[in-house]
Amino acid sequence: ALRNRASIDLKNNRRYLTYQRLSKNEYSPFLFATSLTIAGVGYQLLDNPSEAAAAPKIDYENVKKDIADLIEESSSKRGDGTSIGPTFVRLAWHTSGTYCKNTKTGGSNGATMRYEPEKSWGANAGLEISRNALEGIKQKYPQISYADLWTLAGSVAIQEMGGPVIKWRPGRSDSDKPTSVPDGRLPDADKGEIRNTINHVREIFSRMGFSDREMVALIGAHAVGRCHPEASGYWGPWTFAETTFSNEYFRLLVEGGPWTVKTTHNGAPWTGPTQFEDPSGAIMMLPSDMAMIWDKRFHAIVEEFAKNEDAFFKEFSTAWTKLIELGVKKSSNGGILAWFMSLFGF
C-alpha cells in the first residue's frame, strides 16, 4: 500500500509546512538564536569569540528561504515528482560523515569536498550537482561558509520534505586545503558477505561515535532520493514517495517484501551490482539496507521506527544535528546563549 501525504507538496505548500511547524510548539534553536542576535547576543559555534564578533552578520532566515525556493523550483522544472532536496541531504551527510572520533579528523568543518581528491571519491559521485546548485546562494550571501551552507541546505531539505525540525547552528569555516583523511570513511553499499556488510555499517558509524539506534535513524534518510546507475551503478528509489521524509523506508523494509535479488531491468537482464527489489520491481534496497533487517539488533530498531514515526523523527533529529556538527569546534562555555537555550531544553 502506498502512502501519499497530501500535506507534503513540493509545488504548493512546502514553505508553509516548514515555517508553520517551526512557529508552533516545536521550538527551533535556529529561530530562537536569530531573535537573540537581534537583541545583541551572537549565535555561533566558533571557539574564538573575537573571531565570531568580527564576522559579518548573515540573515540565515533569508538563506533558508532561498534554499527552500531552490528546492521548489527544481521540482517545478523537473515535473516528475523529484527535486534536488534529497541530493542536498546527501551532500550534508557526506561532507560530515568523514569524521573519526579517535583522531578528531574529518567532519563538516572545512568543506573540503570542493577539492580533489575528495570530490572525486566514488561515494561522492553526482554531488557536484548539489554543490553547483548552491553556488547562486553562496554568491548572494558571500559571508556564509560553504561548510555552513551545505549543512544548512540538507537540514532545510529535510524539513521541506516533511521531516522533523532540525537544530542547525552556524559557525563552520572553510579550509583552503584539501582533506587529509583517506577515502573509505563513508559507508559502502555492499561488502560481499552478509556479515561483512553488517559489520561494515556498524564500524563506519561507530567510528563517528554513533550508537546502533542513531545509525538506524540516520540510514532512515533513505526514505528520500534514489540511486542513479551513472553515479553508483545502482538503480531506483527506496520508497514510492522519494521527496517525502517519513518512516516509510522502515515500513517497507518490514512489510514491503519479499525482497529478492534484482535480475532484470526494463525487460533486459540486470547487469549492475547486487541489489534487492520488492515484488513490483519499482523500489529497491541495497545490501547495506538489508543489513538493517539481517542483524537482530538493527532489526528491532527498524521494527520500532516502522510502527512509530514520532520516535523515528525524534531520534533522527538529534542524530542529524550530531552528524553535521562533527569536527566543528564549539565554544567551551557557550555563554549567555547556551544558558538561555538550556532553559528551553535546547
Side-chain angles (χ1 to χ4, degrees):
L2 309 185
R3 299 196 314 172
N4 181 14
R5 303 195 303 183
S7 61
I8 316 300
D9 182 1
L10 271 170
K11 295 183 179 179
N12 298 314
N13 295 316
R14 286 202 176 277
R15 193 174 308 107
Y16 175 83
L17 169 70
T18 297
Y19 294 105
Q20 286 298 307
R21 293 176 73 240
L22 285 173
S23 66
K24 294 182 180 179
N25 293 325
E26 300 173 88
Y27 294 103
S28 166
F30 175 83
L31 294 177
F32 184 70
T34 301
S35 65
L36 289 180
T37 300
I38 295 172
V41 181
Y43 183 53
Q44 44 85 26
L45 283 173
L46 297 173
D47 200 37
N48 186 339
S50 60
E51 181 179 347
K57 296 295 186 292
I58 301 169
D59 189 334
Y60 290 106
E61 284 305 301
N62 279 339
V63 179
K64 289 178 67 176
K65 179 181 178 297
D66 287 350
I67 293 170
D69 286 343
L70 190 58
I71 294 171
E72 187 173 342
E73 289 167 7
S74 74
S75 176
S76 297
K77 288 179 181 178
R78 295 183 183 191
D80 59 359
T82 69
S83 79
I84 201 166
T87 316
F88 284 165
V89 176
R90 181 168 167 246
L91 174 64
W93 208 119
H94 283 216
T95 196
S96 306
T98 59
Y99 185 71
C100 174
K101 65 180 181 181
N102 294 326
T103 62
K104 302 293 189 294
T105 56
S108 63
N109 212 42
T112 51
M113 200 190 299
R114 292 170 294 144
Y115 308 116
E116 296 289 358
E118 188 175 353
K119 69 178 182 180
S120 294
W121 289 351
N124 292 333
L127 286 179
E128 71 279 358
I129 296 172
S130 55
R131 296 196 304 269
N132 293 340
L134 291 168
E135 277 300 317
I137 295 178
K138 172 63 175 173
Q139 292 173 13
K140 184 176 180 180
Y141 306 95
Q143 300 93 340
I144 191 172
S145 67
Y146 280 103
D148 272 348
L149 179 58
W150 292 354
T151 55
L152 180 57
S155 301
V156 169
I158 289 165
Q159 295 179 187
E160 285 293 297
M161 293 186 288
V165 172
I166 300 298
K167 298 178 181 179
W168 179 89
R169 300 186 289 183
R172 299 162 191 80
S173 60
D174 292 335
S175 173
D176 59 1
K177 299 177 181 179
T179 184
S180 61
V181 307
D183 191 2
R185 286 193 175 184
L186 294 168
D188 290 333
D190 189 8
K191 284 298 183 181
E193 298 294 327
I194 291 175
R195 178 48 55 186
N196 290 343
T197 300
I198 293 171
N199 289 342
H200 171 71
V201 171
R202 190 166 272 123
E203 288 167 2
I204 288 289
F205 283 87
S206 295
R207 186 205 69 234
M208 291 184 274
F210 291 111
S211 66
D212 277 7
R213 188 174 179 81
E214 291 171 320
M215 297 177 202
V216 176
L218 287 172
I219 292 172
H222 281 173
V224 298
R226 62 165 52 223
C227 287
H228 300 271
E230 66 274 17
S232 64
Y234 297 98
W235 175 89
W238 288 269
T239 72
F240 293 102
E242 57 189 278
T243 55
T244 298
F245 198 100
S246 70
N247 68 336
E248 190 71 350
Y249 167 79
F250 299 114
R251 191 191 70 79
L252 288 168
L253 268 174
V254 175
E255 303 174 7
W259 294 96
T260 57
V261 174
K262 183 178 180 67
T263 58
T264 62
H265 185 68
N266 293 333
W270 172 247
T271 58
T274 300
Q275 66 178 74
F276 296 80
E277 62 182 8
D278 77 325
S280 74
I283 58 174
M284 67 91 206
M285 294 288 170
L286 304 171
S288 55
D289 296 307
M290 299 303 294
M292 297 294 98
I293 54 176
W294 287 336
D295 181 83
K296 289 183 178 180
R297 283 185 285 168
F298 287 154
H299 196 162
I301 303 167
V302 168
E303 290 270 7
E304 178 191 352
F305 290 162
K307 296 174 183 176
N308 190 336
E309 186 174 81
D310 289 342
F312 164 50
F313 275 19
K314 180 179 180 181
E315 192 66 46
F316 179 87
S317 180
T318 302
W320 178 265
T321 298
K322 177 178 175 179
L323 171 70
I324 61 174
E325 292 188 356
L326 292 176
V328 182
K329 292 182 179 180
K330 300 178 179 66
S331 175
S332 57
N333 55 28
I336 190 171
L337 175 63
W339 178 76
F340 266 106
M341 294 181 73
S342 69
L343 295 179
F344 288 86
F346 299 134

